[in-house]
DNA sequence: GTCTGTATTTTGGAGAGGTC
DNA sequence: GACCTCTCCAAAATACAGAC
């Protein structure tokens, strides 16, 4: 999968293992039947409700980490829903934003040569503090898997932590600094993004307040596949 | 520089405790 | 008893501090 003149796609460091989702339970666990018929328990690195993407019987891909210190050797990475691969690993977007920043995935973030992770700010921690020729900016990253039609939505449940992040970013803007929120849309079938008003009305209200305050919203689309992840650019914000 | 331990992050369920 | 609020816990990755 090459990407022409566009940004370099991310490739998984080792081949993923295909299977079928049998059940998901206790937030962190998933029963998966591998292609060879073996039944395994995989770690589910997404503690949210996974609205619309947790479909029993759907094809999934797992990464394999046979380190002795791990209890579960397999990690659930993606699931195929309506013919589209959806990334479910919530830790991946932060790592890939870090990775993509070095490779020019985000033209909106050009001019930031240095970055510091997990910076304490206000009531919570912000994922990145970017500094460089472009000045400085705070960047928070959110993983998005829920979609209705071609519209990606976040959050898919009440998130007080997410609300705190929005309040902190608004405060950062009020202090005259740049503040950005990058919604990592972990599926290729969405061209629009909107706050999940139905699930968290307060978050949706804060989202609009943040927009008005000048917080820069970047709903970033990626194409997820068993070989890697390819950047697709920004989705249209609908409020 | 390497190793070890601790804190933090994600969300929803379970259980405890308080109030009516 | 019913309801509400609060705290703890689950697995794993990651960052960071401290010891050697």
């Amino acid at each position: 999968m090459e990407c022409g003149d566009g940004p370099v796609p991310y490739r998984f460091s080792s081949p993923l293992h295909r299977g079928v989702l049998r059940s998901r339970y206790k937030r962190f666990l998933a029963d998966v039947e591998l292609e060879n018929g073996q039944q395994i328990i995989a770690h589910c690195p997404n503690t949210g409700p996974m609205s619309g993407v947790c479909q029993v019987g759907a094809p999934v891909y797992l990464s394999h980490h046979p380190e002795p210190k791990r209890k579960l050797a397999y990690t659930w990475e993606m699931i195929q829903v309506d013919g589209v691969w959806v990334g479910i690993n919530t830790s991946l977007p932060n790592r890939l934003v870090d990775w993509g920043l070095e490779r020019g995935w985000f033209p909106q973030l050009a001019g930031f040569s240095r970055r510091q992770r997990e910076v304490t700010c206000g009531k919570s921690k912000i994922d990145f503090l970017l500094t460089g020729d472009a000045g400085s900016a705070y960047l928070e990253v959110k993983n998005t898997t829920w979609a209705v039609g071609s519209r990606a939505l976040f959050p898919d449940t009440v998130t007080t932590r997410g609300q705190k992040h929005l309040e902190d970013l608004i405060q950062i803007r009020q202090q005259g600094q740049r503040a950005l929120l990058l919604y990592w849309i972990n599926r290729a079938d969405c061209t629009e993004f909107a706050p999940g008003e139905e699930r968290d009305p307060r978050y949706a209200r804060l989202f609009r307040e943040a927009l008005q305050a000048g917080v820069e919203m970047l709903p970033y689309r990626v194409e997820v596949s068993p070989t890697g992840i390819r950047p697709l650019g920004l989705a249209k914000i609908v409020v």
Side-chain angles (χ1 to χ4, degrees):
Chain A
M1 179 180 67
E2 289 305 333
C3 198
D5 296 331
V8 180
Y10 171 83
R11 291 178 185 281
F12 292 108
S13 54
S14 57
L16 301 184
H17 298 255
R18 190 181 170 101
V20 172
L21 179 65
R22 290 306 177 204
S23 70
R24 184 221 179 186
Y25 54 100
K26 292 185 182 179
R27 315 237 59 72
F28 302 99
L29 306 176
D31 286 340
V32 172
E33 182 178 342
L34 298 177
E35 275 193 316
N36 61 8
Q38 185 186 1
Q39 305 275 347
I40 57 103
I41 299 173
H43 171 56
C44 173
N46 186 326
T47 56
M50 296 172 66
S51 301
V53 298
C54 196
Q55 298 182 0
V56 171
V60 297
Y61 271 98
L62 315 172
S63 55
H64 191 218
H65 311 271
E67 290 92 16
K69 64 179 179 181
R70 286 187 55 149
K71 289 187 179 179
L72 302 170
Y74 289 91
T75 297
W76 182 8
E77 297 288 348
M78 66 185 75
I79 185 167
Q80 193 174 41
V81 179
D82 299 329
V84 177
W85 287 105
V86 182
I88 65 103
N89 190 336
T90 55
S91 68
L92 195 60
N94 275 47
R95 278 184 282 147
L96 277 190
V97 166
D98 202 6
W99 190 88
L101 280 167
E102 280 192 357
R103 291 161 180 82
W105 275 30
F106 316 104
Q108 305 82 359
L109 301 176
F112 296 113
S113 54
R114 296 177 296 280
R115 55 194 177 278
Q116 188 181 342
R117 295 186 70 165
E118 299 298 334
V119 180
T120 301
C121 180
K123 290 177 282 186
S124 49
K125 282 193 173 182
I126 302 295
D127 289 326
F128 293 94
L129 171 60
L130 309 176
T131 54
D133 295 340
S136 64
Y138 288 88
L139 171 66
E140 177 65 21
V141 180
K142 295 293 178 194
N143 181 58
T144 307
T145 56
W146 183 32
V148 176
S150 62
R151 182 173 298 175
L153 298 151
F154 181 92
D156 60 355
T157 185
V158 174
T159 168
T160 52
R161 178 173 163 73
Q163 293 169 9
K164 270 196 301 183
H165 280 139
L166 279 173
E167 289 169 342
D168 287 336
L169 291 173
I170 290 170
Q171 197 172 2
I172 288 167
R173 274 302 300 150
Q174 288 170 343
Q175 290 166 356
Q177 293 183 276
R178 267 185 92 179
L180 304 103
L181 222 168
L182 192 153
Y183 294 92
W184 184 272
I185 302 173
N186 237 331
R187 51 195 299 165
D189 59 342
C190 294
T191 54
E192 297 180 344
F193 172 84
E197 183 112 42
E198 173 191 326
R199 302 291 172 89
D200 191 344
R202 182 165 189 268
Y203 187 93
R205 181 173 58 76
L206 285 167
F207 178 90
R208 287 188 283 271
E209 283 180 26
L211 262 182
Q212 280 199 329
V215 176
E216 297 165 61
M217 303 296 184
L218 306 176
Y220 200 78
R221 304 167 57 225
V222 297
E223 181 183 75
V224 179
S225 77
T227 54
I229 293 173
R230 188 167 69 93
L232 298 177
L234 294 180
K236 179 186 175 188
I237 298 174
V238 180
V239 289

